[in-house]
Amino acid sequence: MEVRINKYLSEAGVCSRREADRLIEAGKVMIDGKSAITGSKVTDGQVIKVNGTTVTKEEELILLAFNKPVGVVCTTTDKQGKNNIVDYIGYEKRIYPVGRLDKDSQGLILMTNDGDIMNKILKSVNGHEKEYVVEVDKSVTEEFIHKMSNGIYLEALDRKTDQCFVKKEGKFSFRIILTQGLNRQIRRMSESLGYKVTRLERIRIMNIKLAGIPLGQYRKVSDEEYRILCSML
């Protein structure tokens, strides 16, 4: 069956569809020795190369839950050196991060070789939950919780955040569950209310939890977790 080249590269675990389109436009993707063009379709029998390296689809599904430390960057490029999340983990097969967790934050991020799973999870329109525990530099007040939970207009992004669950955890900490994926959303929301985030940890993505994974380590997502994840997608 023929599929678009960007989808093929995504499913093969090379990169996202968007990044595949950029590689194609840059002339770095070849199909049977000829430069690919946007919209090209391919089959499994053809020879696909990216930057001169032949692409093969990995039959085994890989889905890891990784506890990212502060300082590790969620990118597949090598410009960050060992701070690149892929190089940091050093997994034996090609994997890439599902979404992002900014450099100054820590906690759960999923790693996979399955482009379809990645694309489905990243579609925030589906309302997939991500849960965080956050520490700030000032006392968390009821007013702060109320404003955070009811949505805040973020001038830098020119949009208002959706209503969400927010609960006070301690004098300087709170728990928040988001279904959006705006850039540095929690930090921007807090800053708009005069608070500075001092520690941000993601503890859950949908049904996958961080609990039990040491910082800087990963575990394979169980078959049962994967089954539930697919049913939610």
Side-chain angles (χ1 to χ4, degrees):
M1 183 178 67
E2 287 188 329
V3 297
R4 290 171 67 95
I5 182 63
N6 61 352
K7 182 179 181 183
Y8 182 93
L9 293 177
S10 174
E11 290 178 347
V14 175
C15 57
S16 67
R17 294 189 193 185
R18 184 177 299 177
E19 179 62 22
D21 286 335
R22 287 195 285 264
L23 291 170
I24 292 165
E25 291 172 5
K28 297 181 178 181
V29 181
M30 306 291 287
I31 303 173
D32 292 336
K34 298 180 180 179
S35 294
I37 60 174
T38 302
S40 292
K41 292 186 176 181
V42 297
T43 64
D44 285 337
Q46 293 181 280
V47 178
I48 315 298
K49 292 187 177 183
V50 177
N51 289 323
T53 301
T54 301
V55 174
T56 55
K57 279 192 175 182
E58 175 62 55
E59 295 299 324
E60 176 197 5
L61 168 70
I62 301 169
L63 185 59
L64 310 177
F66 174 56
N67 188 350
K68 184 191 89 67
V70 170
V72 174
V73 181
C74 296
T75 177
T76 56
T77 69
D78 58 7
K79 294 180 181 179
Q80 302 293 333
K82 286 300 180 181
N83 286 338
N84 172 320
I85 191 169
V86 174
D87 290 338
Y88 183 93
I89 293 175
Y91 198 73
E92 61 185 356
K93 295 183 179 179
R94 183 195 299 119
I95 54 174
Y96 52 93
V98 181
R100 294 182 179 275
L101 189 59
D102 69 62
K103 182 178 180 180
D104 299 325
S105 302
Q106 65 186 72
L108 182 63
I109 186 162
L110 301 179
M111 304 290 295
T112 189
N113 65 342
D114 189 307
D116 278 350
I117 286 180
M118 183 189 77
N119 291 328
K120 288 176 181 177
I121 292 176
L122 293 181
K123 288 181 179 177
S124 60
V125 68
N126 293 331
H128 301 142
E129 290 186 350
K130 296 180 286 291
E131 186 172 355
Y132 305 79
V133 173
V134 187
E135 295 179 6
V136 288
D137 62 341
K138 296 193 299 185
S139 296
V140 175
T141 64
E142 290 302 318
E143 180 184 14
F144 174 85
I145 296 295
H146 176 76
K147 289 183 176 179
M148 290 283 284
S149 61
N150 281 281
I152 294 175
Y153 174 72
L154 301 179
E155 185 174 356
L157 303 179
D158 190 26
R159 63 182 298 180
K160 185 178 180 180
T161 62
D162 293 342
Q163 291 186 345
C164 59
F165 173 87
V166 186
K167 179 183 178 182
K168 183 175 180 178
E169 289 287 297
K171 184 176 181 179
F172 299 100
S173 62
F174 64 95
R175 181 181 302 261
I176 182 169
I177 299 175
L178 299 179
T179 55
Q180 285 178 297
L182 303 181
N183 182 251
R184 297 176 70 87
Q185 182 172 344
I186 297 172
R187 294 181 187 277
R188 292 181 190 275
M189 291 172 71
S190 300
E191 287 168 6
S192 71
L193 298 177
Y195 286 70
K196 180 180 179 181
V197 171
T198 57
R199 184 176 184 275
L200 192 157
E201 181 178 46
R202 183 156 64 196
I203 61 172
R204 178 172 64 88
I205 298 173
M206 299 173 70
N207 65 307
I208 310 298
K209 297 180 180 180
L210 177 69
I213 307 174
L215 188 65
Q217 301 296 312
Y218 64 84
R219 67 170 176 83
K220 290 187 177 181
V221 171
S222 70
D223 290 343
E224 177 65 10
E225 287 176 317
Y226 177 68
R227 184 189 66 77
I228 294 172
L229 180 70
C230 288
S231 70
M232 296 173 76
L233 294 173

